[in-house]
DNA sequence: ATGGCCGCTTGACCTACGTCAACCACGAAG
DNA sequence: CTTCGTGGTTGACGTAGGTCAAGCGGCCAT
């Protein structure tokens, strides 16, 4: 890794409050790798050799069972995945593939575990990160078990609107079939569900979404802090 | 708290590898409380004042949205809940109620956070516990998104059979309506789904379940380590 | 330019599941 | 013993969502 790359890496959230020497020690055996789109980075069931951090691009985390497949999340720069498997030295529970061309930082699992065992600041860092991840999944589980497809889409749109700085017009960050899988429905159903939102002034033209009446959509979606607020 | 109670508490899994003085320091401001069945212990959306540990009895963790409700998990002795909220100093994401009469250890949140900040062993303990909890929820999310009700029930039965020491005959640990909610279906649907398992030699007489042909049920359920194995 | 591929949409149909209501079994309280 | 309440079951029906197939439009490569 080059010096400028190392400088870039140490600003990652997982290294917050960790001593600089410790960060360098962990980065020494690490790789910063480039992948084209559509590559499987990690396969469910394999032992966890690396802690992965997305530096650039998008990574889809998904899982398969029988002939079905579902995407658990889509990660962007700064987010890392499969921390729990690395900390516990277990197999990956999910697979991951690059959705776009991507740069990924690969931290060898044993180095991470050693740092976890020796460095209290890093251990705390991982703990808070794990706690946040845990809460995210819990929210997603509630989203799935308590809401219909229409409600999930409506709430996703509202959450994404906020993420985009309250923009009432934005482009979908990934393909509709990925969104469908993330929301837990078939692509065809997503199409129909978008169509069902036209009475609420949601316009769809290709990947461009326009939310014509935020209040109407909010009344339909009924967002809740304990499911939809990422800071709660 | 009495001396014998304190001795009982320090054997809890969350205190593994934590120095005895530290444990005592955390237990000093703690309460060991008894609750009758059916009491709400924690309400979703409230700030997290206590880390709860079930010492005796059963606790149902659930969440509500609009007029719906779903149970996220049912906890028994030794398991603790809402750790993530305590560590991050956020509100509870889920509610909890006692399903039976129960004894619960209540550790004040600020004491837990102080110990987390000062004691590396305890921080690591929380981190691994959080990592395990994280993986459990991920498995449950996959269970929900990738399987039908029939598959969820079949797999739950197999998992529970193992938990009971490979007993082919056992009693349900809680009411069927709770099981239905845990599995993510209406109580009526659970009844019908049980009925649909008779061709696979599953007999139901009240709360007693008899699995007549483990192989047949396994062939139907197709359990997977990355969803069903609690040690994976 | 054009042929082919891929993502998306639409329609028709089917299945899994939720809902509502009646009914039954069992146990607690009178 | 009777009565009532609660948990569970069953039937009839409605709805959400999956599936299959056809068609459409944009985009890339020849």
């Amino acid at each position: 890794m080059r010096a400028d790359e190392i400088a870039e890496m140490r600003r990652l959230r997982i290294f917050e409050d960790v001593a600089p020497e410790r960060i360098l020690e962990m980065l020494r055996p690490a790789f910063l790798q480039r992948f084209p789109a559509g590559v499987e980075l990690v396969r469910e069931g394999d032992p966890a050799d690396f802690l992965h951090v997305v530096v650039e691009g998008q990574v889809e985390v998904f899982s398969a069972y029988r002939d079905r497949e579902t995407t658990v999340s889509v990660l962007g720069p700064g987010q890392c995945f499969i921390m729990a498997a690395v900390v516990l030295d277990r197999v990956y529970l999910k697979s991951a593939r690059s959705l776009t061309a991507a740069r990924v930082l690969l931290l060898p699992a044993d180095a991470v575990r050693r740092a976890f065992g020796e460095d209290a600041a890093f251990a705390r860092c991982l703990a808070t990160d794990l706690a946040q991840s845990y809460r995210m999944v819990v929210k997603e589980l509630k989203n799935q078990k308590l809401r219909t497809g229409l409600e999930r889409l409506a709430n996703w749109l509202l959450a994404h609107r906020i993420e985009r700085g309250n923009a009432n017009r934005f482009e979908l960050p990934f393909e509709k079939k990925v969104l469908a899988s993330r929301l837990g429905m078939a692509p065809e159903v997503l199409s129909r569900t978008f169509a069902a939102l036209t009475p609420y002034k949601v316009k769809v033209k290709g990947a461009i979404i326009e939310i014509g009446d935020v209040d109407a959509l909010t009344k339909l979606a009924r967002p809740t802090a304990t499911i939809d607020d990422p800071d709660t």
Side-chain angles (χ1 to χ4, degrees), chain A:
Chain A
M1 240 186 309
R2 301 192 313 265
D4 59 327
E5 288 175 338
I6 289 180
E8 194 183 347
M9 296 306 112
R10 28 196 311 183
R11 281 195 304 272
L12 291 169
R13 199 172 52 115
I14 47 159
F15 293 135
E16 215 173 82
D17 297 328
V18 178
E21 321 84 77
R22 175 68 66 178
I23 300 178
L24 288 177
E25 187 183 324
M26 293 186 61
L27 286 177
R28 206 169 304 123
F31 307 96
L32 182 59
Q33 211 158 325
R34 277 178 192 280
F35 296 98
V39 173
E40 187 161 306
L41 308 174
V42 149
R43 187 189 306 262
E44 177 173 352
D46 283 355
D49 340 307
F50 293 100
L51 175 60
H52 297 238
V53 189
V54 182
V55 176
E56 207 184 316
Q58 280 182 334
V59 171
E60 178 186 13
V61 178
F62 66 98
S63 179
Y65 173 73
R66 297 206 183 200
D67 59 342
R68 300 154 228 172
E69 183 181 308
T70 193
T71 110
V72 176
S73 58
V74 178
L75 305 177
Q79 301 188 274
C80 68
F81 54 105
I82 43 176
M83 241 172 38
V86 169
V87 170
L88 298 174
D89 200 3
R90 303 265 176 81
V91 302
Y92 298 126
L93 289 184
K94 305 172 269 185
S95 302
R97 70 167 71 99
S98 54
L99 231 40
T100 63
R103 279 164 73 212
V104 179
L105 177 67
L106 301 170
L107 296 157
D110 51 357
V112 174
R113 279 193 294 273
R114 187 158 2 93
F116 173 74
E118 292 171 3
D119 189 315
F122 184 63
R124 273 187 268 275
C125 211
L126 287 188
T128 55
D129 216 301
L130 279 165
Q132 277 177 277
S133 304
Y134 172 79
R135 287 170 70 88
M136 280 197 54
V137 195
V138 168
K139 288 178 198 166
E140 187 52 34
L141 181 61
K142 289 165 57 176
N143 194 32
Q144 286 294 328
K145 286 184 82 175
L146 291 166
R147 299 220 259 232
T148 67
L150 183 65
E151 290 170 332
R152 290 197 295 276
L153 175 57
N155 277 293
W156 186 90
L157 287 172
L158 288 173
H160 196 72
R161 189 189 88 94
I162 293 175
E163 209 176 295
R164 289 291 174 92
N166 296 330
N168 290 326
R169 218 181 120 87
F170 53 80
E171 198 179 344
L172 291 177
F174 35 72
E175 289 177 343
K176 287 205 185 108
K177 61 175 183 176
V178 176
L179 177 58
S181 179
R182 242 256 41 205
L183 294 176
M185 53 176 108
E188 298 95 322
V189 178
L190 178 63
S191 269
R192 286 184 238 279
T193 309
F194 265 126
L197 284 178
T198 40
Y200 299 88
K201 305 270 189 303
V202 173
K203 286 188 190 56
V204 183
K205 181 76 65 99
I208 303 291
I209 307 293
E210 194 180 327
I211 298 177
D213 185 343
V214 176
D215 287 352
L217 189 58
T218 304
K219 239 180 98 190
L220 171 72
R222 295 241 217 136
T224 302
T226 54
I227 298 183
D228 306 286
D229 184 351
D231 302 323
T232 291

